[in-house]
Amino acid sequence: MEDKKQRISLFLDKNFVVKMDKEIKSAGFKSRNDFVAYAVNSYFADKLLSDENSVVNEKLAKEIAKAGEEQQKRISKGLFRYAVELELIMKILADEKHFSKEKLEEMRKEAINNVRRTRGKVRLDDLFERKDYKSL
């Protein structure tokens, strides 16, 4: 198997090498070679996306915007479906149970705290384990 790397010599200012070595350690590179290769690749990537290739930039920006709009539409439709289902559940509950405004506010505060505590991953079976749901 042929080695695809080539040894070259670089002559750099000593102060620059000191700064580079500090950056290598803080950025988690294993060697100067890795750092220089990364820096050169980044330079070429920046050059590729520069004004010289504005047609590529415009096309990329349009595709990103289009994908973002499509994703936003999907999220909006999903949220609408969830809101309809939630409204249906609330109507069923309201027909079965009549809670005072104070009780509703107390349950709302508890719900807000539970959603925050679980970062939105609230499960109905967890609620049953925390509370005596038969007394509702």
Side-chain angles (χ1 to χ4, degrees):
M1 184 172 161
E2 186 178 319
D3 189 11
K4 294 185 180 185
K5 292 185 178 183
Q6 178 179 348
R7 180 181 295 268
I8 62 169
S9 297
L10 289 174
F11 293 94
L12 304 171
D13 181 71
K14 288 180 182 183
N15 290 333
F16 181 80
V17 173
V18 170
K19 289 178 186 177
M20 183 176 70
D21 287 343
K22 287 179 185 175
E23 186 63 30
I24 288 169
K25 289 177 184 176
S26 67
F29 289 96
K30 294 180 181 178
S31 67
R32 287 178 178 163
N33 288 335
D34 290 344
F35 180 80
V36 171
Y38 177 81
V40 172
N41 281 326
S42 294
Y43 171 80
F44 285 132
D46 287 346
K47 197 74 168 154
L48 178 65
L49 295 174
S50 70
D51 290 337
E52 295 172 10
N53 295 303
S54 61
V55 173
V56 173
N57 288 340
E58 287 177 30
K59 187 174 181 179
L60 180 61
K62 285 178 184 176
E63 289 299 316
I64 290 170
K66 182 180 171 184
E69 288 172 9
E70 290 171 5
Q71 187 68 16
Q72 183 180 7
K73 285 178 187 176
R74 272 189 246 129
I75 290 170
S76 293
K77 286 179 182 180
L79 288 173
F80 182 82
R81 285 191 302 268
Y82 291 135
V84 169
E85 293 301 313
L86 183 58
E87 171 74 11
L88 179 62
I89 292 168
M90 290 187 323
K91 283 185 179 277
I92 292 168
L93 183 60
D95 284 345
E96 290 296 317
K97 297 285 185 179
H98 298 282
F99 297 105
S100 68
K101 286 186 178 186
E102 294 80 19
K103 182 64 176 172
L104 284 173
E105 193 57 35
E106 178 187 323
M107 289 189 296
R108 180 173 287 113
K109 286 178 183 177
E110 183 181 352
I112 290 169
N113 289 332
N114 288 337
V115 169
R116 284 182 180 154
R117 182 179 49 78
T118 62
R119 293 191 172 120
K121 296 182 181 180
V122 178
R123 294 175 46 106
L124 185 60
D125 53 342
D126 291 341
L127 178 64
F128 288 150
E129 289 176 13
R130 285 194 311 265
K131 210 135 179 75
D132 176 16
Y133 65 92
K134 292 178 185 174
S135 67
L136 292 176

